[in-house]
């Protein structure tokens, strides 16, 4: 999965996928003033599917397949089917492990680039039906789908467009073959919440590369599972541009799209070109970039990363599982930077997630729970212009306080009633209204005047910031710059004992 290849979707892909002039997709033209374009960007909002996806915050990725048994990351589609024979496969353990870690949806690699299918498909002989596992009568996709339904976890499928086994790859017939595989997966396993494509496009067994009919595939998904989001070579969710789990410091959900898009920051414009370098420091969707396309679209970012160095299980990596502290950093830099974290947790050859991974996941969940257990603003009192602060503390991201950004109507000032110790700030916008905040400053009263604790640019669905530990009894948030009237939905102040630097 390293250096995953992305396709940057063009305008026709969006319209064919069911988007035209709508709340989450608006065409722009040269006759519009800069102010008009900015105002349009401020009123674009997520679709129902996108909003559900964003609220998940964390999704689990399950890489499992022939590569698990060969020790590879990208198989060639020639491995002996006898190799696939997990001795204790327990899909319920996978899903429960994810749920216990706070993960609300699981995506399974139903087929990776080697073409090996984890369900008994009628489209190819290269599948579990010809493996020794359960005498060829097993179905990994069904077991995961059933476990997700039982445990109340969302279910998604990854289906690789690249197929290094199928002889039709590189011909028009392959797109028909792919539609058949999609049809099986989207009609035999109940509700599917996400369909995940990457844009990897290498050679098939005939030495040819495929022209993917993404538009046709999108339309088919919309027909069979209309509630599903399509990511990340898809019209609903974009790839952030790295596999580090870290998003940009300034991450806009409204970005320019279309044929006239002039820049390439985090998404490829050619199937064979990986993104250049690490895109964490880049900006996507700033005012200066809004005219870089034919339209503006709500197109939020997903930050993917594996809990291990590789995406598939390798025994040699048992001692290289990421630490709970590093996963906390990843959470702050993905979910806390207006994105959704896609965390890969690969089962081993037995068909089980190992204790190495489970131990770290439990510690990570406990760490986050401890940090966010008590919002130190819960008993605070609004002072100054904003007295009614209940919408900021009700745990509902669809209620908010609006700011006119005229005069002093850009500040929330809070009396904590007693001195509190804190070093973590949480902010959320009501994105059903739009993403509007461009910059903000968070300050505390030191007894003599206001001092800056931290500052940031975008907020979006959620923003998390850490800063040196402060003790104070009064704080305030100043929105410095915004598009139209920002709608602040939630505000939280927390203390992480591990971050006591002064």
């Amino acid at each position: 999965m390293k250096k995953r290849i992305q396709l940057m979707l063009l305008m026709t892909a969006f319209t064919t996928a069911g988007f035209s002039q709508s709340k989450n997709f608006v065409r722009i033209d040269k006759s519009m003033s800069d102010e008009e374009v900015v105002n349009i960007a401020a009123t674009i909002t997520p679709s129902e599917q996108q909003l559900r996806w964003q609220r998940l915050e964390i999704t689990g990725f399950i890489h499992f397949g022939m590569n698990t048994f060969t020790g590879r990351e990208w198989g060639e589609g020639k491995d002996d089917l006898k190799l696939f024979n997990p001795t204790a496969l327990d899909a319920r353990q996978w899903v429960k492990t994810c749920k216990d870690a706070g993960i609300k949806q699981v995506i399974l690699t139903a087929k990776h680039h080697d073409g090996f299918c984890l369900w008994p498909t009628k489209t190819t002989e290269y599948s579990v039906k010809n493996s020794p596992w359960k005498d060829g009568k097993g179905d990994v996709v069904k077991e995961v789908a059933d476990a997700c339904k039982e445990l109340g976890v969302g279910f998604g499928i990854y289906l690789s467009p690249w197929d290094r086994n199928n002889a039709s790859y590189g011909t028009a017939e392959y797109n028909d073959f792919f539609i058949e595989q999609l049809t099986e997966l989207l009609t035999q396993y109940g509700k599917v919440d996400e369909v995940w494509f990457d844009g990897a496009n290498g050679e098939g067994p005939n030495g040819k590369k495929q022209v993917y009919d993404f538009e046709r595939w999108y339309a088919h998904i919309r027909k069979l599972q209309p509630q599903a989001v399509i990511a990340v070579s898809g019209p609903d969710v974009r790839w952030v541009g790295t596999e580090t789990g870290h998003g940009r410091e300034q991450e806009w959900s409204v970005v320019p799209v279309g044929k006239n898009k002039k820049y390439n920051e985090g998404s490829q414009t050619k199937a064979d070109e990986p993104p250049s370098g690490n895109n964490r420091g880049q900006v996507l969707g700033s005012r200066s970039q809004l005219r870089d396309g034919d339209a503006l679209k709500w197109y939020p970012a997903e930050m993917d990363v594996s809990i291990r160095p590789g995406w598939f299980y390798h025994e040699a990596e048992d001692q290289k599982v990421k630490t709970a502290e590093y996963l906390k950093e990843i959470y702050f830099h993905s979910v806390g930077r207006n994105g959704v974290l896609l965390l890969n947790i690969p089962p081993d050859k037995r068909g089980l997630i190992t204790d190495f991974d489970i131990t770290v996941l439990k510690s990570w969940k406990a760490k986050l729970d401890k940090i966010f257990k008590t919002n130190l603003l819960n008993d605070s009192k609004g002072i100054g212009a904003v007295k009614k602060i209940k919408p900021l503390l009700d745990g509902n991201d669809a209620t908010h306080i609006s700011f006119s950004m005229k005069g002093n109507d850009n500040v929330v000032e809070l009396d904590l009633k007693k001195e509190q110790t804190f070093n973590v700030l949480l902010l959320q916008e009501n994105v059903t209204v739009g993403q509007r905040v461009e910059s903000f400053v968070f300050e505390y009263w030191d007894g003599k005047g206001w001092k800056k604790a931290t500052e940031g640019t975008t907020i979006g669905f959620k923003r998390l910031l850490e800063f040196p530990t402060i003790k104070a009894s009064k704080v305030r948030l100043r929105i410095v710059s915004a598009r139209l009237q920002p709608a602040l939905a939630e505000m939280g102040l927390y203390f992480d004992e591990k971050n006591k630097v002064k």
Side-chain angles (χ1 to χ4, degrees):
M1 293 295 282
K2 279 296 180 183
K3 294 185 178 178
R4 179 180 293 115
I5 312 296
Q6 285 306 107
L7 290 174
M8 187 58 210
L9 304 170
L10 299 181
M11 184 74 68
T12 52
F14 292 118
T15 54
T16 306
F19 295 108
S20 55
Q21 202 83 351
S22 63
K23 289 184 178 180
N24 83 331
F25 180 89
V26 179
R27 298 178 186 275
I28 59 173
D29 59 57
K30 294 180 180 179
S31 68
M32 295 176 178
S33 68
D34 289 346
E35 183 180 5
E36 285 178 311
V37 173
V38 170
N39 290 346
I40 288 171
T43 56
I44 293 174
T45 57
S47 67
E48 184 178 335
Q49 300 102 313
Q50 289 171 321
L51 184 60
R52 175 198 170 273
W53 171 86
Q54 189 87 55
R55 285 172 171 164
L56 293 171
E57 294 198 354
I58 311 173
T59 297
F61 221 171
I62 303 292
H63 275 66
F64 186 72
M66 189 63 76
N67 292 341
T68 307
F69 299 88
T70 63
R72 297 181 179 181
E73 285 290 304
W74 284 13
E76 297 179 358
K78 302 175 182 177
D79 296 306
D80 190 337
L81 291 169
K82 293 178 182 178
L83 293 173
F84 186 84
N85 193 19
T87 57
L89 191 148
D90 186 351
R92 190 180 189 280
Q93 186 242 16
W94 305 354
V95 177
K96 187 176 186 302
T97 295
C98 290
K99 182 176 182 178
D100 290 347
I103 294 169
K104 299 175 183 176
Q105 184 164 294
V106 168
I107 299 172
L108 173 69
T109 54
K111 182 188 79 170
H112 203 253
H113 309 326
D114 59 0
F116 181 75
C117 297
L118 292 181
W119 78 103
T121 176
K122 295 179 181 178
T123 63
T124 177
E125 297 302 306
Y126 200 57
S127 82
V128 290
K129 69 183 180 183
N130 290 315
S131 76
W133 178 60
K134 292 192 173 182
D135 296 323
K137 297 182 174 15
D139 187 337
V140 181
V141 177
K142 183 178 188 304
E143 294 195 18
V144 174
D146 289 348
C148 286
K149 184 176 181 180
E150 176 193 347
L151 296 172
V153 172
F155 172 62
I157 58 165
Y158 165 108
L159 187 67
S160 171
W162 187 17
D163 191 318
R164 304 180 78 177
N165 173 268
N166 192 270
S168 70
Y169 187 86
T171 70
E173 287 73 25
Y174 179 77
N175 284 312
D176 296 332
F177 166 86
F178 198 81
I179 283 285
E180 290 180 35
Q181 291 197 326
L182 272 177
T183 302
E184 289 182 350
L185 290 169
L186 300 180
T187 60
Q188 297 177 6
Y189 300 102
K191 183 181 179 184
V192 175
D193 298 291
E194 183 164 349
V195 179
W196 205 100
F197 297 133
D198 63 26
N201 190 348
E203 293 182 353
N206 55 10
K208 296 180 180 179
K209 291 185 179 181
Q210 182 69 37
V211 177
Y212 298 143
D213 195 351
F214 276 118
E215 298 171 39
R216 179 184 174 195
W217 301 349
Y218 300 156
H220 198 56
I221 296 165
R222 294 285 191 230
K223 177 182 177 182
L224 297 179
Q225 296 280 353
Q227 77 289 332
V229 292
I230 309 173
V232 290
S233 279
D236 299 329
V237 176
R238 62 181 164 86
W239 183 39
V240 74
T242 74
E243 293 181 340
T244 64
H246 292 68
R248 298 173 179 84
E249 285 279 359
Q250 188 175 158
E251 192 67 65
W252 287 98
S253 291
V254 176
V255 298
V257 296
K259 296 177 182 178
N260 292 333
K261 185 174 177 298
K262 300 174 184 176
Y263 58 91
N264 175 24
E265 298 185 53
S267 295
Q268 291 89 323
T269 54
K270 294 182 180 179
D272 300 327
E273 293 185 2
S276 57
N278 190 312
N279 295 289
R280 281 179 287 172
Q282 296 181 359
V283 179
L284 190 63
S286 66
R287 286 189 181 223
S288 64
Q289 296 170 333
L290 291 177
R291 290 187 177 275
D292 288 351
D294 300 309
L296 297 174
K297 176 171 171 51
W298 189 275
Y299 200 24
E302 177 185 81
M303 293 76 168
D304 60 334
V305 68
S306 182
I307 197 171
R308 292 162 168 260
W311 290 85
F312 286 90
Y313 173 82
H314 309 293
E315 185 177 358
E317 296 178 353
D318 282 346
Q319 303 298 329
K320 298 180 181 179
V321 177
K322 290 178 174 60
T323 65
E325 183 63 27
Y326 188 54
L327 288 180
K328 188 214 83 170
E329 177 185 310
I330 286 173
Y331 177 83
F332 271 64
H333 291 177
S334 55
V335 176
R337 288 182 178 173
N338 189 38
V340 168
L341 171 60
L342 179 60
L343 180 63
N344 181 63
I345 308 163
D348 63 14
K349 292 181 179 181
R350 300 170 300 168
L352 298 172
I353 294 173
T354 73
D355 290 340
F356 297 99
D357 305 71
I358 292 172
T359 298
V360 168
L361 289 169
K362 286 181 177 178
S363 180
W364 175 51
K365 178 65 161 56
K367 186 180 292 289
L368 292 179
D369 286 348
K370 187 174 183 180
I371 293 171
F372 296 107
K373 181 180 180 180
T374 303
N375 184 351
L376 300 174
L377 298 180
N378 281 340
D379 296 325
S380 63
K381 178 182 178 182
I383 53 180
V386 179
K387 298 289 196 302
K388 297 180 181 180
I389 60 172
K390 184 179 178 181
L392 302 181
L393 305 171
D394 62 2
N396 184 352
D397 61 37
T399 62
H400 65 266
I401 294 174
S402 293
F403 299 89
S404 69
M405 299 300 292
K406 296 178 180 179
N408 294 323
D409 188 22
N410 67 330
V411 179
V412 179
E413 188 174 328
L414 301 169
D415 182 352
L416 306 182
K417 297 183 180 178
K418 63 179 181 179
E419 191 174 69
Q420 299 279 14
T421 302
F422 50 87
N423 51 27
V424 174
L425 174 68
L426 177 151
L427 297 171
Q428 289 189 260
E429 289 183 77
N430 181 356
V431 295
T432 64
V433 174
Q435 184 184 359
R436 299 180 175 184
V437 176
E438 293 176 307
S439 64
F440 62 89
V441 176
F442 180 67
E443 300 167 313
Y444 67 98
W445 182 261
D446 72 350
K448 297 179 181 179
W450 291 105
K451 302 291 184 180
K452 182 174 71 176
T454 189
E455 61 186 334
T457 54
T458 50
I459 295 175
F461 180 76
K462 181 171 285 189
R463 188 65 191 262
L464 294 170
L465 288 172
E466 297 179 279
F467 47 88
T469 299
I470 291 168
K471 291 183 179 181
S473 59
K474 284 199 301 183
V475 297
R476 73 178 184 184
L477 177 74
R478 286 192 297 115
I479 300 174
V480 178
S481 176
R483 302 170 179 180
L484 295 180
Q485 296 182 354
L488 190 64
E490 291 293 305
M491 187 171 177
L493 202 57
Y494 304 92
F495 177 54
D496 179 3
E497 293 181 358
K498 297 289 186 180
N499 181 24
K500 294 184 178 181
V501 179
K502 294 184 178 181

